[in-house]
Amino acid sequence: MKKIHYKKYLTATNILLLILTVIYFLDHYLPFPKEYSGFTWASDDINATDYMLGICGGLLTNYMGIGKVLDPAGTEVYRYVTQMFLHGHLLHFIANLIGLYFIGNYAEKRFGWWMTYIIFVVVGIVEVFITDPLYIAIVPSKAEEVASTVSVGASGGIFALMGASLAALFFDIKSFKEIGKPTLIVSAIYGVLTTYVVSFGWTTVCHNVSLILGLILGVIIILPFFLLKKGKFARVNNSDIQSDIDNNSL
């Protein structure tokens, strides 16, 4: 019987995935306090399918998301951090979970767990201040819709990790061979499909401006380490670890 090495699963990325999962289920499936009406909850109109898909709910979103339509004001400073740990619905949650598993674990082996967390969190916070104003400047007609929509999601942070990883490959093209095929395939599908779906408005105002911005900010954060030739992130022998990632599904 093959011995299972559980320690290889104890990565910072996998811990983050666990946190996101717990928060999602608490947000969408916790029993509501008496007379509570979460921002998406319509007491008499929710059926069993809506509940299973996580369409109703919003208990934690009401206190952790960004948006003036939330109760109370929805603009407290801490929300700029907590909003990135929330997801609007089941498809949003599953897509980000899969994307983060492959992209996050690769970035962690490439840059270390602390830099991975810094990129994810910093970009997740910064883009909240930029995305909506930039989007409104590009599409002024959407100003009212943006003002009435709640901002949540980890997509910006995940795209930042993707941008940092792409920048690293640019300076060390040989390391491309060390990336397993599952990671390449999933990353490509996640990047293209997420941007495509969002750009056609199949989600709310979680638009492609946020994703592209995350990608750019990820490159900006990691670029100085290569330009200054510190070498800290130049090459890593991660082929064995990467195979562990690719041979285990989420």
Side-chain angles (χ1 to χ4, degrees):
M1 183 177 179
K2 187 177 179 180
K3 186 177 179 181
I4 300 176
H5 300 282
Y6 293 101
K7 288 185 177 181
K8 69 183 180 182
Y9 298 103
L10 293 177
T11 65
T13 299
N14 289 344
I15 292 173
L16 179 57
L17 289 170
L18 179 61
I19 293 172
L20 294 178
T21 301
V22 170
I23 290 177
Y24 176 80
F25 281 97
L26 289 178
D27 184 30
H28 290 272
Y29 300 107
L30 267 181
F32 290 138
K34 186 178 181 180
E35 298 180 355
Y36 176 81
S37 57
F39 81 96
T40 59
W41 183 264
S43 57
D44 297 327
D45 300 328
I46 296 299
N47 55 44
T49 302
D50 290 334
Y51 183 81
M52 288 187 291
L53 293 178
I55 295 174
C56 56
L59 181 61
L60 298 185
T61 296
N62 198 59
Y63 300 102
M64 296 169 63
I66 292 287
K68 295 180 180 179
V69 296
L70 297 176
D71 184 28
T75 56
E76 291 87 350
V77 175
Y78 72 85
R79 292 174 183 266
Y80 290 97
V81 178
T82 56
Q83 58 81 25
M84 73 183 73
F85 296 97
L86 299 163
H87 292 87
H89 50 76
L90 188 61
L91 180 60
H92 185 200
F93 169 67
I94 292 176
N96 278 349
L97 217 64
I98 295 174
L100 181 60
Y101 177 75
F102 286 93
I103 298 170
N105 272 300
Y106 173 76
E108 184 176 343
K109 302 307 174 290
R110 189 72 197 252
F111 310 123
W113 70 267
W114 59 275
M115 180 58 76
T116 300
Y117 266 121
I118 287 176
I119 295 172
F120 179 82
V121 174
V122 169
V123 173
I125 295 173
V126 171
E127 72 162 3
V128 176
F129 293 93
I130 305 175
T131 298
D132 286 348
L134 181 59
Y135 183 65
I136 293 173
I138 297 173
V139 190
S141 61
K142 293 287 187 177
E144 186 176 344
E145 182 182 355
V146 170
S148 62
T149 304
V150 176
S151 297
V152 296
S155 304
I158 299 173
F159 267 74
L161 294 175
M162 185 186 297
S165 299
L166 289 174
L169 288 173
F170 177 81
F171 285 93
D172 182 22
I173 194 64
K174 291 182 179 179
S175 64
F176 182 82
K177 297 179 180 179
E178 298 177 2
I179 306 176
K181 288 184 179 179
T183 295
L184 288 173
I185 294 172
V186 171
S187 298
I189 293 175
Y190 174 79
V192 174
L193 184 61
T194 303
T195 306
Y196 176 84
V197 169
V198 170
S199 65
F200 275 80
W202 295 349
T203 59
T204 57
V205 191
C206 177
H207 37 73
N208 50 4
V209 171
S210 173
L211 307 183
I212 295 173
L213 185 62
L215 198 71
I216 294 172
L217 291 175
V219 172
I220 292 174
I221 289 177
I222 208 66
L223 205 55
F225 290 94
F226 291 96
L227 294 179
L228 294 174
K229 301 183 183 300
K230 294 295 184 181
K232 183 175 179 60
F233 304 126
R235 288 292 296 274
V236 289
N237 185 15
N238 66 348
S239 56
D240 292 336
I241 301 175
Q242 187 62 41
S243 64
D244 290 336
I245 297 173
D246 296 332
N247 290 331
N248 291 281
S249 59
L250 189 61

